[in-house]
Amino acid sequence: MEKQIPIFNTLKEICDWFGLPSTELIGEDFMLQEIDQWNKNKLLNAPDNYKANFFTIFIINEGSATHLYNDEVINLESSGIFITNPGHHRNYKFDHLAEACFICFTEKFLADQCFSDIYQEFPFLLSESFIYTKADPENYQIIKYNTNQIKKEIHRSPDQKMVLIGNMVEFLLIKIKELFQNQLHNFTDNNNNSVVNTFHRDLELYFNEILERKKPKQLGAKDFAALQFLNEDYFSVVIKTKTGRTPTAWINSRLLSEVKMLLTETSVPIAEIANLFQFTNSRYFNSYFKNQTTLTPAFYRKSLHRR
């Protein structure tokens, strides 16, 4: 029986799983957790692998750790920075770690507290691989100071706490980006399991079920994101950035392609095609098709048969 991999969609879920205090959890979208609070008993509850629907910046101050992925052991050392993005598998071992911290935040945190073109400025946040880099002594001290300032801000309660933390996270990302220009270890994820390829496989399966008359539930971008346990906005940004088209555009393109195929290569009645793709009625289907092609389904079919 295949082992079920835990999937955490919120920061609170992962705190509850590890039995950690949620005192460092700021709202639902940001957390800074120091590793010295993770004692051996808590680590015994850790799964071998898990997936999380949020960003993690793992900063190692003293000691070492490992991350196992696809039978590859990634050695993480002092002054190292290890970044995982939403949807990645995670598998940490902290046997020799003395001091480190996890900074975790959601896509919503970035959207609410950071500047609007965050992914354009920091494209590594869309990477479908693990990112690891080591800071030189000077930059490490800057990063450590910044991290300590975030910790201090968490324990204060000013009205603009989240805005200030957002600014500090932006500064941290800027320093990490500078480090990436000098040295970067990119642990490429299995291409078959990338967000884009998984989306195309899910899309193929969905339309195959439609054509097989299985009447699957109608799926939109939000549903395809949920199939990968990803936030819809983050999922959409990844697909758009890597393919040049939004998930909705891909869905509509495939829908139109299948409709055209049925109109040109079969004699299935137009009303049945409309029902097959779960349009509420033939009139709505005709309007949709004409909007996409400038022709009604009937005229489109007739014009091809005249050739």
Side-chain angles (χ1 to χ4, degrees):
M1 182 175 176
E2 187 177 350
K3 189 174 181 180
Q4 191 75 18
I5 297 176
I7 298 170
F8 303 114
N9 287 310
T10 68
L11 297 176
K12 187 176 185 308
E13 285 177 0
I14 200 166
C15 282
D16 292 344
W17 176 273
F18 284 107
L20 295 169
S22 56
T23 53
E24 313 306 322
L25 184 59
I26 308 302
E28 298 179 351
D29 301 303
F30 185 86
M31 176 178 73
L32 189 152
Q33 188 72 58
E34 294 185 79
I35 205 68
D36 57 9
Q37 298 178 27
W38 298 46
N39 62 40
K40 293 289 185 181
N41 292 330
K42 290 169 184 172
L43 290 177
L44 291 176
N45 295 323
D48 292 333
N49 284 287
Y50 66 90
K51 291 179 73 173
N53 191 12
F54 47 80
F55 298 90
T56 297
I57 301 177
F58 181 27
I59 300 174
I60 304 166
N61 298 318
E62 182 181 345
S64 63
T66 59
H67 190 282
L68 181 64
Y69 183 69
N70 282 347
D71 298 324
E72 179 181 8
V73 176
I74 304 168
N75 295 310
L76 312 175
E77 302 173 346
S78 296
S79 74
I81 301 169
F82 188 65
I83 298 177
T84 48
N85 293 336
H88 286 176
H89 286 83
R90 309 178 191 202
N91 186 338
Y92 300 102
K93 300 300 177 188
F94 308 129
D95 293 339
H96 306 291
L97 203 59
E99 182 185 350
C101 71
F102 279 107
I103 297 176
C104 306
F105 48 90
T106 66
E107 191 278 337
K108 187 175 184 301
F109 172 83
L110 290 179
D112 291 347
Q113 309 302 336
C114 299
F115 44 82
S116 58
D117 57 349
I118 191 81
Y119 297 120
Q120 182 176 345
E121 184 66 26
F122 307 115
F124 58 85
L125 293 175
L126 297 177
S127 172
E128 294 192 61
S129 60
F130 298 108
I131 306 293
Y132 176 57
T133 187
K134 284 196 66 175
D136 58 84
E138 181 180 354
N139 278 308
Y140 166 70
Q141 290 302 323
I142 294 173
I143 289 171
K144 186 174 182 180
Y145 175 80
N146 178 257
T147 304
N148 287 334
Q149 290 301 109
I150 294 174
K151 284 191 279 188
K152 289 180 181 179
E153 205 59 50
I154 286 173
H155 295 290
R156 297 174 185 166
S157 55
D159 294 338
Q160 299 299 313
K161 173 189 287 192
M162 293 308 296
V163 174
L164 293 173
I165 291 176
N167 289 338
M168 293 175 186
V169 169
E170 284 181 6
F171 178 79
L172 178 60
L173 293 174
I174 289 171
K175 295 308 296 181
I176 292 173
K177 181 180 177 181
E178 289 176 0
L179 290 173
F180 284 174
Q181 293 174 355
N182 300 322
Q183 53 178 322
L184 172 66
H185 302 283
N186 211 348
F187 299 94
T188 305
D189 197 357
N190 184 333
N191 191 48
N192 288 330
N193 294 323
S194 71
V195 172
V196 172
N197 286 339
T198 301
F199 170 54
H200 285 310
R201 284 200 303 272
D202 289 340
L203 200 62
E204 183 75 18
L205 178 62
Y206 172 58
F207 278 97
N208 283 345
E209 289 185 348
I210 290 176
L211 296 174
E212 291 169 5
R213 273 60 173 182
K214 292 182 179 179
K215 282 282 186 178
K217 171 192 170 185
Q218 281 189 314
L219 299 182
K222 182 178 181 179
D223 303 296
F224 282 104
L227 288 173
Q228 297 194 51
F229 303 96
L230 291 173
N231 173 281
E232 180 186 0
D233 291 336
Y234 182 77
F235 171 76
S236 296
V237 170
V238 171
I239 299 298
K240 178 67 165 60
T241 300
K242 295 183 181 294
T243 70
R245 302 168 74 184
T246 65
T248 299
W250 279 107
I251 296 168
N252 283 335
S253 176
R254 182 61 185 270
L255 170 61
L256 188 62
S257 175
E258 297 296 349
V259 167
K260 286 181 175 179
M261 183 275 295
L262 290 174
L263 289 172
T264 58
E265 299 183 16
T266 76
S267 58
V268 176
I270 291 174
E272 187 175 333
I273 295 176
N275 181 62
L276 183 66
F277 290 98
Q278 301 186 53
F279 285 87
T280 52
N281 53 57
S282 295
R283 183 176 180 180
Y284 176 46
F285 174 63
N286 287 346
S287 175
Y288 165 82
F289 192 84
K290 187 173 182 179
N291 185 55
Q292 298 292 322
T293 67
T294 73
L295 304 172
T296 65
F299 191 82
Y300 180 82
R301 171 176 272 175
K302 187 181 295 184
S303 64
L304 290 175
H305 287 166
R306 286 175 179 171
R307 294 178 185 178

